Every structure is written in structure tokens, then in C-alpha cells.
Amino acid sequence: MAHPPSSTSDQTCGHCQQGDEENDSSRRDFLTLAAGAMAGVGTIVTAYPLIQSMNPAADVLAMATTEVDLSAVKEGQSLTVVWRGKPVFIRNRTQAEIDEARAVPMNDLKDPQTDQARVANSKFGGKDLPEWLVMVGVCTHLGCVPLGQKPTDPHGEFDGWFCPCHGSQYDSSGRIRKGPAPKNLEIPPYQFTDATHIKIG
Amino acid sequence: MAQGERVNFKNPVICWIDERLPLFSMMHKEYAAFPTPKNFNYLWNFGALSLFMLVTMIVTGVFLAMYYTPSTDHAFNSVERIMRDVNWGWLIRYIHMNGASMFFIVVYVHIFRGMYYGSYKYPRELLWILGVIILLLMMATAFMGYVLPWGQMSFWGATVITNLFSAIPLVGNKIVTWLWGGFSVDNPTLNRFYALHYLLPFVIFGVSFLHVAALHISGSNNPLGIDVKSPKDTVPFHPYYTAKDCFGLTIFLIFFAVIIFFLPNYLGDPDNYIPANPMVTPTHIVPEWYFLPFYAILRSFTIDIHIPFTHVVLISSKLGGVILMFGAVLLMFFLPWLDRSPVRSAVFRPLYRKFFWIFVATSITLGWVGSRPPEGLPVIIGQIATAYYFVHFLIILPMLPKYEKTLPLPNSISEAVLKGR
Amino acid sequence: MKISRPLFCLLFLIIGFSTLPAHADENALAPKTPVAGWPEDGALGTYDRASLQRGFQVYKQVCSACHSLKLLAYRDLTELGFSDAEVKAIAAQVQVTDGPNDQGEMFQRPGRPSDNFIMPFPNDQAARAANGGALPPDLSLIIKARKGHEDYVYSILTGFGQTPPADEKIASGMNYNPYFAGHQIAMPPPLTDGAVTYADGTQASVEQEARDVVQFLSWASEPSLEVRHQTGIKVLLFLAVFAGIMYGVKRKVWEKLY
């Protein structure tokens, strides 16, 4: 301690203030600065691999693509498959559901997106297959799995999916219509490998 | 700290050590002779009880760690093995599991005591801030510890809470992936939570040391909130407060033992005895009781704020809730500067006293709201209570000194004690 | 004695938090407690050994066709009052897959007391496939893992056979049970009068079977309950004396001050 305590009754922070006069040469100034900079850079460079190590490891990143056979899924039925440890909802929609989804005005949507855009990847050999809706079955609010895959499940007010955690409701295109979720159910990358098989991922 | 004022110990071994490292002199100064206001009530036991709980959690945790397996395939069964096959494993696990609740009860009482008696005011602002840091560390530790048994509530609680970070604009999803070490809560997440759950208690211990060190610089506050003026106002910590703290501890232990031995699962959720299943969400996700008020604040923000006349969402309900929840905790850091009344203790602040109890009631109401499903009346009550929570800190506390007529303060602690206050 | 305000504040907080109402119920009927209550309830509660053994018989002969109990080992049955020889005989009745042997092949051998209870299906998928898509849950922790605990499982087991209200359609393959969330359960009524024959001559009514098997499952969920209760009483007695002495010490120390 350079400063002996002046008096015990001193309640101000006088001894916190720095009053040292600078008498260093500019050369030493530069050296000190350079040393400090080197130490700083070294610390940051060392921290980088530590922080980076917490990101997904190579085996986790090498997410196996999932191939799904859709031939058993009849109109009006759904299938849940696992991709990257998350459920993926695949639904063979009825014409009524498709019409309902396409009739919704964009102004009613919280996260505006046409139904056509959501099933843009559902095509094979130049033929559109709008009945196939493929999306990640994870609520965009806080990550719960919405209900609506089974016929006995609640489907919410919009004939789609209903999240039991905080009551978010998705329509028959998987778009958020009501409740706290901010976004539509996510569409994973997928493509039809033939008329009845898709590859997710 | 203690150099130069060594005590003469009779025991030659202690004397020999103390000459070379004055540990015993320091202990004597800080814990035996330490002058402490003579008018503490039993609410001043809760600091010592918090330290007791911290040590209890660390000790039981170390023994549990000898049997626990941090892997998604084995975590649940390894906990059940502790409960069924490990000698006295059920006791150690129930102490640890309910100890978390006890720790929070004790700390919450400690915090409310500090608020009631103005213990955060000059010169104890830093002491209070260190305490809030300890609370934050405790929350992180408790949250990660709850994930370890890998039951349904462990898994879904972790999913919901880590997903809060996805509300951060632009980088949110990257941060969540980084926290998880994957694309969902999975084995890497469990492993790192275990590592941190083991580490953080020792950080808490370190910050607690600073908390106590700061306390010993300023000295304790007391129920009258007035400064110590003469040695007549104080008693040495030992034997007066060691005896009082130990008596309080035995009473607390009776309460703790009733929970451990006769109601061990009362505070827990039955769903956590179902192994984690990433494909099935429980119908109603609730955090442990000590997070319920904050959970209610999180869910109270139910509307999106748009940029006027457009559909562009400025603050989504999700981001808004997250901001409110973290704001509710961070606000506590600023308490010493929000309440500028020169009088510390609520005993002499009739208006503040009323608002303090309304605040306590608000906190309990928020806890109740947090335990209900987010629909109907509880949502509205939660929004009102959340609004009041912020009004209390941001409007009522700063405004009060202008309108409040405080009662006359006694001249000294000893005078007030003699009058039988 | 006047309760001081700080003490009142402490009590208020503890009571305030501890009386937080339980979580919202699904549309299921509240579980009912059997008239006789449960012997394991209360601070001195213990399990009824005879009932435990009968309950094990119900599990073995009825439930175990679909429900696993994988956290339990046959050796644990000694706690039901079975002798070591009886446990050995019970374990030997099942075939356990072991191996690989010197030829590198898996083989079947009779069970040993150290083996865990065998499972009716090799995995969850097989269990679903055999049960029309519904998964019979593992019963090791069923009593602790359901709200309502013993009462809930007892109510489910005895809640079959009622006529559903006119506005509730029961899907094919489902059964009406008002105590189950959604009122439709895939499990058919498991218990019938005389489904088992008790060796001790107890009348095997549905209620009696349900009571016995719930008692058994309660023990399976929490085998340490009895030693926990006994230890708890001793600990509380010790702490009461300790607290009394500490109060005396505190009084004596503070007496000097005034």
C-alpha cells in the first residue's frame, strides 16, 4: 500500500483517488503497453478454444440424415420421426386442411408465410405434393413438443397443433396463430427422393 | 487484517502456529471478540443458517458425486441406485434434494430481513451487491442441479430455461446451441451442467467469504437501523451470538428433519420420477417453488410490441418476458440507490413498512401464479403483480422519502434496549 | 405469549410458500382414498408384510404380463418377509439372458437373487407394438411418479366398469376410466374378483387385490420408507433435547447482560 491511512474518521474516498505523478520515459510506456497488449491477446486466444469447445462436437455435427418411408401414412394421418434428437412432424394433409391453410389472409398471421412457401420442398419429378407438411415438432416458444399428431390429441382452434406448455396454437400449415410462440414451426431441409420417400437433413 | 494484534494463546501448539500464521488471532478478532449490536432478533440467525446450508449442500453433494453418473443413459438409474442400494444413500440424497429448498427459504428470509431493516443502505451497499451475486449463483447452481437426475421435469425444465436465450435477437439460436453443445438438451448438456454444478458452490463459498469480509468492515446492521455509538451498544460475538445462532440452528434443523424424514417429496414434482423423454412434454411444466415468482414474471408478458402501424415485431412476448424476468433480479442490485431514505429500519418508517408487506404479499402471489397453468384469472393476477413488483422498486421506493414522516430515532441502541424496545 | 413481528414474518413466509396450491388437474376425477387408508402413511407408518406379499403375487400373476419393474432385484424381496431360500426359488422361476459364453453366444439361465426383475418386453418399441401403440409404463416408481400417489393407482385399478357419460365417445381399443386424464385408458381392466388365489386365504376381491398390489408398488417406489420413518423419530427426539439444551445455554449466556 502506497498510501498509509490518513485518519480513521475519513469517510470519503480520498484515498481511492490516484495522485501519482508520471515520471516514466515514453520508451517504458510503450514497452508496458506492448506487454499488456500481448498478455491481452494471449488471454483471448487461449479463451477461444475453451469457449469453442462448448459448441457441438464433430460427431454431433455429423447429423445423420433421416430417410423416411411415407407410403404407410394415409391421408389425414401423421408420423413423428427423430432428426438431430428432435421430433419431426410429417403430416399427410386432407384437402380441407390445405384449403383452410391457404384461405388465411396474411394479415392474420404473426409470422406471415404462405402455405405454398411452407411446402415448397414437397415435390417430386416436377409434381407438387402440397399434402405433405414436414416440420420440426418443437414449439418456437420454449421448445416443448406440441400435441396434434394423434387423432385423439387436441388440435387447437386452428385444426393444427396445440402446445400444452404455454398454450401456443398452430394452424394446419404449422403457422403460429395464437399464444406466446413468436414464429411458425420450423421447416427442416428435406427433399423427396421418390414419390413416397423423403430425406430430412 | 489481524497482524500486529495477536492474542496470547495458552496452548503452546496454537501459540506456535499463530506466531507464524495468525489464523487464530484472526478468528478471535472476527468471530470471538467481534463487537456485534446487542439488539439482534432471531431474523439475524438466517445469515449463519445460510452458511450452514451451503456447507451441508457441499458435503452431501460430494458424497452423492461418488455414485452419480452424468450420462443420459445412466443418470436416472444411478440416482435410483443411490436411493435403493447405496448405504444411507436415500438419506444423503433427500438431504441434498430438500436442502436446496431449505437453502432458498433461509436466503429469501435473509433477503427480506435486509429489505425490512434497510441493511442495504450506506455503508453496506457492496455487502448487499455481493449478496445479490450469491443469489444469482445459487439460482444457476440449483437450476443445473435439478437437471442431473434426468427426470421429465429435469429435461423439460432445462429445455424451457435454456430456450430463453433464443429470445436474444440475432445470436440467440447460436447461443442456445453453444449452451447445449448440440441441437437439443442432450448428453453434452448434462455433462457440462454436472461440471458446473460441482464448481459453482465453491464460487459461492468464495463470494460468501467476501460478503462476510465486507460485513466485518462495516459491522452489522440491527433492528433499529441506527449506528453503533459506544461499546455499550455491542456484545462480543462469542458467546452471545454463537449461542443464539446455535439455538436457532437446532430449531431450524427440527424443521429440516421433518421435511427430510416425513415429507421428502412434498416440495418436488412427481413427474421427475419419470425418466426424461425428449419426445413427450409433460402437460404442465413448473420449476421448483423457489423459481415460481420469476417464472410468473417471465410469463406475464403476453403481447408483442410492434413498430407502430407495421407488422414488424419490435419486442416479441418471448423477449419481453425474458427482459422482465432478468430485470426483476437485476433491479435488486440497484436497491441501495432506489431507496434514498436516510432512515434504515422499517420500524421508524410507517409508510415503508406498509409497502414492504404489500411487496412480500406480491412476491407470494407471483409464486402462486407461477404454479398455475397460464390461462384465465392467474394470468391477469400475474400481470398486475408483475407490474406492482416493478412499481415498488422504480416508483414507490424512490418517491417514499418525499411523503413519509419518519418516527424519531432513539439516541442509541443501549438506550432503546433499556426501554424495552 | 405475543408473537414478535419478525417471527410472524418468518411464519408467514414459510406458510405462504408451503400452502401454494398443487398444480392444475387434468379433467380426471380426484383420486379416492380407500376407507382404511394406507398403513405406510403418517410419521410412524410401516408396510403391511402380508399385504406386500399378496401384492407381489398380484404383480407377478397379473401386472408383469405387460408392466416391467426394472429397478427392483429379486434380492429386494427379502424385505417383504421372504426367506433367502424362497427368494432364490422365486428368482429361479425366470429365465435370464446372460453371456456371451466362451463361444461368444448369449445364453439363457435361471434367474439369481442378484438379477433385476425381468422385463415382459425387450424394449419400449416391442411393448408398444404388442399393446396397440400404448406403452405400459414401468411400475418401479409409479406411486411416486403420479399425483395422488397410492390413491391414484388404487382409483385407476378399481375405477373400471362404469358407464361413460353420453357425451364421451370411447375410441376402439380404449377403456373408460374416470380417474385417468382424458378418461380413456388403453389398459383393459386388469383385476377381477378371484384373479389370483391368495395362499393365506384372503378373499381376492378387486378392491383387495388393488389394495395389495398398490401396497407392493408403494414399497417398490420407496423401499427405504420404514427405516426413514424410524430414523426420523430418533433424529427428532435428539434434536428436541439438543434444542432444549441450546436454549438453556443461550438463556444463561444472555442473562449476564441484563
Side-chain angles (χ1 to χ4, degrees), chain A residues 11 51 53-57 60-61 82 84-87 107 110 140-145 164-166 180 182, chain B residues 122 156 159-160 163-164 177-178 181-184 192 278-279 281-283 285 295 299 304 311 316-318 374:
Chain A
Q11 278 208 349
I51 290 170
S53 78
M54 283 175 71
N55 267 321
V60 178
L61 275 178
V82 180
R84 282 178 166 188
K86 292 183 208 171
N107 279 344
K110 198 175 186 179
T140 54
H141 181 224
L142 293 172
C144 299
V145 179
C165 290
H166 303 93
Chain B
Y122 175 84
W156 289 101
T159 300
V160 167
N163 256 314
L164 293 179
T177 306
W178 178 73
F183 301 103
S184 59
R192 62 189 55 180
M279 297 299 138
T281 313
T283 44
I285 297 180
Y295 193 55
R299 298 190 308 184
D304 293 330
H311 269 282
S316 67
S317 57
K318 180 166 152 183

Coordinates of all heavy atoms in Angstrom, one line a residue, chain A residues 11 51 53-57 60-61 82 84-87 107 110 140-145 164-166 180 182, chain B residues 122 156 159-160 163-164 177-178 181-184 192 278-279 281-283 285 295 299 304 311 316-318 374:
Chain A
Q11 N -14.3 9.5 6.0 CA -15.3 8.7 5.4 C -15.4 8.8 3.9 O -16.0 8.0 3.2 CB -16.7 9.1 5.9 CG -16.9 8.4 7.3 CD -18.4 8.2 7.5 OE1 -19.2 8.7 6.8 NE2 -18.7 7.4 8.5
I51 N -14.0 -21.7 -25.2 CA -15.3 -21.4 -25.5 C -15.8 -22.2 -26.6 O -16.9 -22.8 -26.6 CB -15.5 -19.9 -25.7 CG1 -15.2 -19.1 -24.4 CG2 -16.8 -19.5 -26.3 CD1 -15.1 -17.6 -24.5
S53 N -14.9 -25.1 -27.5 CA -15.1 -26.5 -27.2 C -16.5 -26.8 -26.7 O -17.0 -27.9 -26.7 CB -14.1 -26.9 -26.0 OG -14.6 -26.4 -24.8
M54 N -17.3 -25.7 -26.3 CA -18.6 -26.0 -25.8 C -19.6 -26.1 -27.0 O -20.8 -26.5 -26.8 CB -19.1 -24.9 -24.9 CG -18.5 -25.1 -23.5 SD -18.8 -23.7 -22.4 CE -20.6 -24.0 -22.1
N55 N -19.2 -25.7 -28.2 CA -20.1 -25.9 -29.4 C -20.2 -27.3 -29.8 O -19.4 -28.1 -29.3 CB -19.6 -25.0 -30.5 CG -20.2 -23.6 -30.5 OD1 -21.4 -23.5 -30.3 ND2 -19.4 -22.6 -30.8
P56 N -21.2 -27.7 -30.5 CA -21.4 -29.1 -30.9 C -20.1 -29.8 -31.4 O -19.5 -29.2 -32.3 CB -22.5 -29.0 -31.9 CG -23.3 -27.8 -31.6 CD -22.3 -26.8 -31.1
A57 N -19.8 -31.0 -30.9 CA -18.6 -31.7 -31.4 C -18.9 -32.3 -32.7 O -20.0 -32.3 -33.2 CB -18.3 -32.8 -30.3
V60 N -21.5 -34.9 -33.2 CA -22.9 -34.3 -33.1 C -23.2 -33.5 -34.3 O -24.4 -33.6 -34.8 CB -23.0 -33.3 -31.8 CG1 -24.3 -32.7 -31.7 CG2 -22.6 -34.1 -30.6
L61 N -22.2 -32.9 -34.9 CA -22.5 -32.1 -36.1 C -22.8 -33.0 -37.3 O -23.5 -32.7 -38.2 CB -21.2 -31.2 -36.4 CG -21.2 -29.9 -35.7 CD1 -19.9 -29.2 -36.1 CD2 -22.4 -29.0 -36.1
V82 N -37.5 -39.0 -35.7 CA -36.5 -38.2 -34.9 C -35.4 -37.8 -35.9 O -34.9 -38.6 -36.7 CB -35.9 -39.1 -33.8 CG1 -34.9 -38.4 -33.0 CG2 -37.0 -39.6 -32.9
R84 N -31.8 -35.3 -35.6 CA -31.0 -34.4 -34.7 C -31.5 -34.4 -33.3 O -31.5 -33.4 -32.6 CB -31.0 -33.0 -35.2 CG -30.1 -32.7 -36.3 CD -30.2 -31.3 -36.6 NE -29.2 -30.7 -37.5 CZ -29.1 -29.4 -37.7 NH1 -30.0 -28.5 -37.2 NH2 -28.2 -28.9 -38.5
G85 N -32.1 -35.5 -32.8 CA -32.6 -35.6 -31.5 C -33.9 -34.8 -31.3 O -34.4 -34.7 -30.1
K86 N -34.5 -34.3 -32.3 CA -35.7 -33.6 -32.2 C -36.8 -34.3 -33.0 O -36.5 -34.9 -34.0 CB -35.6 -32.2 -32.8 CG -34.7 -31.3 -32.0 CD -34.7 -29.9 -32.7 CE -33.5 -29.1 -32.5 NZ -33.4 -27.9 -33.3
P87 N -38.0 -34.2 -32.5 CA -39.1 -34.8 -33.3 C -39.4 -34.0 -34.6 O -39.4 -32.8 -34.6 CB -40.3 -34.8 -32.4 CG -40.0 -33.7 -31.4 CD -38.5 -33.6 -31.3
N107 N -52.6 -10.9 -43.2 CA -52.7 -10.0 -42.1 C -53.0 -10.7 -40.8 O -52.7 -10.1 -39.7 CB -53.8 -9.0 -42.4 CG -53.2 -7.9 -43.3 OD1 -52.0 -7.8 -43.5 ND2 -54.1 -7.1 -43.9
K110 N -49.0 -13.9 -37.4 CA -48.0 -13.3 -36.6 C -46.6 -13.3 -37.3 O -45.8 -12.4 -37.2 CB -47.9 -14.1 -35.3 CG -47.3 -13.4 -34.1 CD -47.5 -14.3 -33.0 CE -47.0 -13.7 -31.7 NZ -47.2 -14.7 -30.6
T140 N -41.8 -23.0 -31.0 CA -40.8 -22.0 -31.1 C -40.9 -21.1 -29.9 O -40.1 -20.1 -29.8 CB -41.1 -21.1 -32.4 OG1 -42.5 -20.7 -32.4 CG2 -40.9 -21.9 -33.6
H141 N -41.7 -21.3 -29.0 CA -41.7 -20.5 -27.7 C -40.6 -21.0 -26.9 O -39.5 -20.4 -26.8 CB -43.1 -20.7 -27.0 CG -43.2 -19.9 -25.8 ND1 -43.7 -20.4 -24.6 CD2 -42.8 -18.6 -25.5 CE1 -43.7 -19.5 -23.7 NE2 -43.1 -18.4 -24.2
L142 N -40.8 -22.1 -26.2 CA -39.7 -22.6 -25.3 C -39.4 -24.1 -25.5 O -39.0 -24.8 -24.6 CB -40.2 -22.3 -23.8 CG -40.2 -20.8 -23.5 CD1 -40.8 -20.6 -22.1 CD2 -38.8 -20.2 -23.6
G143 N -39.6 -24.6 -26.7 CA -39.1 -25.9 -27.0 C -39.8 -27.1 -26.6 O -39.3 -28.2 -26.6
C144 N -41.1 -27.0 -26.3 CA -41.9 -28.2 -26.0 C -42.3 -28.8 -27.2 O -42.2 -28.3 -28.3 CB -43.1 -27.8 -25.1 SG -42.7 -27.0 -23.6
V145 N -42.9 -30.1 -27.1 CA -43.4 -30.8 -28.3 C -44.9 -30.6 -28.3 O -45.6 -31.0 -27.5 CB -43.0 -32.3 -28.2 CG1 -43.6 -33.0 -29.4 CG2 -41.5 -32.5 -28.1
P164 N -48.9 -27.8 -25.2 CA -49.5 -27.9 -23.8 C -48.8 -27.1 -22.8 O -49.3 -26.8 -21.7 CB -49.4 -29.4 -23.5 CG -48.2 -29.9 -24.2 CD -48.2 -29.1 -25.5
C165 N -47.6 -26.6 -23.1 CA -46.8 -25.9 -22.1 C -47.3 -24.5 -21.8 O -47.7 -24.2 -20.7 CB -45.3 -25.8 -22.5 SG -44.5 -27.4 -22.5
H166 N -47.5 -23.7 -22.9 CA -47.9 -22.4 -22.7 C -49.1 -22.0 -23.6 O -49.3 -20.8 -23.9 CB -46.8 -21.4 -22.7 CG -45.7 -21.7 -21.8 ND1 -44.6 -22.5 -22.1 CD2 -45.5 -21.4 -20.5 CE1 -43.8 -22.6 -21.1 NE2 -44.4 -22.0 -20.1
P180 N -48.1 -17.6 -27.0 CA -46.8 -16.8 -26.9 C -45.7 -17.1 -27.9 O -44.8 -16.4 -28.0 CB -46.4 -17.2 -25.5 CG -46.9 -18.6 -25.2 CD -48.2 -18.6 -26.0
P182 N -43.3 -17.0 -30.9 CA -43.1 -15.9 -31.9 C -43.1 -16.3 -33.3 O -43.4 -15.5 -34.2 CB -41.7 -15.4 -31.5 CG -41.0 -16.6 -30.9 CD -42.1 -17.5 -30.3
Chain B
Y122 N -26.1 2.7 3.0 CA -24.8 3.1 3.3 C -24.5 2.7 4.8 O -25.3 3.0 5.6 CB -24.6 4.7 3.2 CG -23.2 5.2 3.7 CD1 -22.1 5.1 2.8 CD2 -23.1 5.6 5.0 CE1 -20.9 5.5 3.3 CE2 -21.9 6.0 5.4 CZ -20.8 6.0 4.6 OH -19.5 6.3 5.0
W156 N -37.3 -31.1 -19.2 CA -38.1 -30.1 -19.8 C -37.9 -28.8 -19.2 O -38.0 -27.7 -19.8 CB -39.6 -30.5 -19.8 CG -39.8 -31.6 -20.8 CD1 -39.9 -32.9 -20.6 CD2 -39.8 -31.5 -22.2 NE1 -39.9 -33.6 -21.8 CE2 -39.9 -32.7 -22.8 CE3 -39.7 -30.4 -23.1 CZ2 -39.9 -33.0 -24.2 CZ3 -39.7 -30.6 -24.5 CH2 -39.9 -31.9 -25.0
T159 N -34.9 -27.6 -20.9 CA -35.2 -27.2 -22.3 C -35.8 -25.8 -22.3 O -35.4 -24.9 -23.1 CB -36.2 -28.2 -22.9 OG1 -35.5 -29.5 -23.0 CG2 -36.6 -27.8 -24.3
V160 N -36.8 -25.6 -21.4 CA -37.5 -24.3 -21.4 C -36.6 -23.2 -21.0 O -36.6 -22.1 -21.6 CB -38.7 -24.4 -20.4 CG1 -39.3 -23.0 -20.1 CG2 -39.8 -25.3 -21.0
N163 N -33.9 -22.4 -23.6 CA -34.5 -21.7 -24.7 C -34.8 -20.3 -24.5 O -35.0 -19.6 -25.5 CB -35.8 -22.5 -25.1 CG -35.7 -23.4 -26.3 OD1 -35.1 -23.0 -27.3 ND2 -36.1 -24.6 -26.2
L164 N -34.8 -19.8 -23.3 CA -35.0 -18.4 -23.0 C -34.0 -17.6 -23.8 O -34.2 -16.5 -24.3 CB -34.9 -18.1 -21.5 CG -36.0 -18.6 -20.6 CD1 -35.7 -18.2 -19.2 CD2 -37.3 -18.1 -21.0
T177 N -27.4 -23.2 -29.0 CA -26.7 -24.4 -29.5 C -25.4 -24.5 -28.7 O -24.9 -25.6 -28.3 CB -26.4 -24.2 -31.0 OG1 -27.6 -24.0 -31.7 CG2 -25.7 -25.4 -31.5
W178 N -24.7 -23.3 -28.4 CA -23.5 -23.3 -27.7 C -23.7 -23.9 -26.2 O -22.9 -24.6 -25.7 CB -22.9 -21.9 -27.7 CG -21.7 -21.8 -26.9 CD1 -20.4 -22.2 -27.3 CD2 -21.5 -21.1 -25.7 NE1 -19.5 -21.8 -26.3 CE2 -20.1 -21.2 -25.3 CE3 -22.4 -20.5 -24.8 CZ2 -19.6 -20.6 -24.1 CZ3 -21.9 -19.9 -23.6 CH2 -20.5 -20.0 -23.3
G181 N -24.4 -27.6 -26.6 CA -23.3 -28.5 -27.2 C -23.9 -29.4 -28.2 O -23.4 -30.5 -28.4
G182 N -25.1 -29.0 -28.7 CA -25.8 -29.9 -29.7 C -27.0 -29.2 -30.2 O -27.1 -28.0 -30.1
F183 N -28.0 -30.0 -30.7 CA -29.2 -29.3 -31.2 C -30.4 -29.5 -30.3 O -31.5 -29.2 -30.7 CB -29.4 -29.8 -32.6 CG -28.2 -29.5 -33.5 CD1 -27.3 -30.5 -33.9 CD2 -28.0 -28.2 -33.9 CE1 -26.2 -30.2 -34.6 CE2 -26.9 -27.9 -34.7 CZ -26.0 -28.9 -35.1
S184 N -30.2 -30.1 -29.2 CA -31.2 -30.2 -28.2 C -30.5 -30.5 -26.8 O -29.3 -30.7 -26.8 CB -32.2 -31.4 -28.5 OG -31.5 -32.6 -28.6
R192 N -22.0 -30.9 -19.0 CA -21.4 -29.6 -18.6 C -22.2 -29.1 -17.4 O -21.6 -28.4 -16.6 CB -21.4 -28.7 -19.8 CG -22.8 -28.4 -20.4 CD -22.7 -27.6 -21.7 NE -21.8 -28.3 -22.6 CZ -21.6 -27.8 -23.8 NH1 -22.1 -26.7 -24.2 NH2 -20.8 -28.5 -24.7
P278 N -37.4 -37.1 -24.5 CA -37.4 -35.9 -25.3 C -38.6 -35.8 -26.3 O -38.9 -34.8 -26.9 CB -36.1 -36.0 -26.2 CG -35.3 -37.0 -25.4 CD -36.2 -37.9 -24.7
M279 N -39.3 -36.9 -26.4 CA -40.4 -36.9 -27.4 C -41.8 -36.6 -26.7 O -42.8 -36.4 -27.4 CB -40.6 -38.3 -28.0 CG -39.4 -38.7 -28.9 SD -39.1 -37.5 -30.2 CE -37.3 -37.3 -30.1
T281 N -43.7 -34.1 -23.9 CA -43.7 -33.0 -23.0 C -44.7 -33.2 -21.9 O -45.8 -33.5 -22.2 CB -44.0 -31.7 -23.7 OG1 -43.3 -31.6 -24.9 CG2 -43.7 -30.5 -22.9
P282 N -44.3 -33.0 -20.6 CA -45.3 -33.1 -19.6 C -46.4 -32.1 -19.8 O -46.1 -31.0 -20.4 CB -44.6 -32.8 -18.3 CG -43.1 -33.0 -18.6 CD -43.0 -32.7 -20.1
T283 N -47.6 -32.4 -19.3 CA -48.7 -31.4 -19.6 C -48.5 -30.1 -19.0 O -49.0 -29.1 -19.4 CB -50.1 -32.0 -19.1 OG1 -49.9 -32.5 -17.8 CG2 -50.6 -33.0 -20.1
I285 N -45.4 -27.9 -17.2 CA -44.0 -27.7 -16.8 C -44.0 -26.6 -15.7 O -44.3 -25.5 -16.0 CB -43.1 -27.4 -17.9 CG1 -43.1 -28.5 -18.9 CG2 -41.7 -27.1 -17.4 CD1 -42.2 -28.3 -20.1
Y295 N -40.7 -17.2 -12.6 CA -41.4 -17.8 -13.7 C -42.7 -17.1 -14.1 O -43.0 -16.9 -15.2 CB -41.7 -19.3 -13.3 CG -42.1 -20.2 -14.4 CD1 -41.3 -20.4 -15.6 CD2 -43.2 -21.0 -14.4 CE1 -41.6 -21.2 -16.6 CE2 -43.6 -21.8 -15.4 CZ -42.8 -22.0 -16.5 OH -43.2 -22.8 -17.5
R299 N -43.8 -15.2 -17.6 CA -44.9 -15.5 -18.4 C -46.0 -14.3 -18.5 O -47.0 -14.4 -19.1 CB -45.6 -16.7 -17.9 CG -44.7 -18.0 -18.0 CD -45.5 -19.2 -17.7 NE -46.2 -19.1 -16.4 CZ -46.9 -20.1 -15.9 NH1 -46.9 -21.3 -16.5 NH2 -47.5 -20.0 -14.8
D304 N -47.1 -8.9 -28.1 CA -45.9 -8.4 -28.9 C -46.0 -6.9 -29.1 O -47.1 -6.4 -29.2 CB -46.0 -9.0 -30.3 CG -45.8 -10.5 -30.3 OD1 -45.0 -11.0 -29.4 OD2 -46.3 -11.2 -31.1
H311 N -46.3 -4.4 -39.3 CA -46.3 -5.7 -38.7 C -45.0 -6.2 -38.1 O -44.8 -7.4 -37.7 CB -46.9 -6.8 -39.7 CG -48.4 -6.9 -39.7 ND1 -49.0 -7.6 -38.7 CD2 -49.3 -6.3 -40.4 CE1 -50.3 -7.5 -38.9 NE2 -50.5 -6.7 -39.9
S316 N -40.9 -9.2 -29.1 CA -41.8 -10.3 -29.0 C -42.2 -10.6 -27.6 O -41.5 -10.2 -26.7 CB -41.3 -11.5 -29.7 OG -40.2 -12.0 -28.9
S317 N -43.3 -11.2 -27.4 CA -43.7 -11.5 -26.0 C -42.6 -12.4 -25.3 O -42.4 -12.3 -24.1 CB -45.1 -12.2 -26.0 OG -45.0 -13.4 -26.7
K318 N -41.9 -13.2 -26.1 CA -40.9 -14.0 -25.5 C -39.7 -13.2 -25.0 O -39.3 -13.3 -23.8 CB -40.4 -15.0 -26.6 CG -39.4 -16.0 -26.2 CD -39.3 -17.0 -27.3 CE -37.9 -17.6 -27.4 NZ -37.9 -18.6 -28.5
P374 N -50.9 -21.2 -17.5 CA -51.0 -19.9 -17.9 C -52.3 -19.6 -18.7 O -52.3 -19.3 -19.9 CB -49.8 -19.7 -18.9 CG -49.6 -21.1 -19.4 CD -50.1 -22.1 -18.3

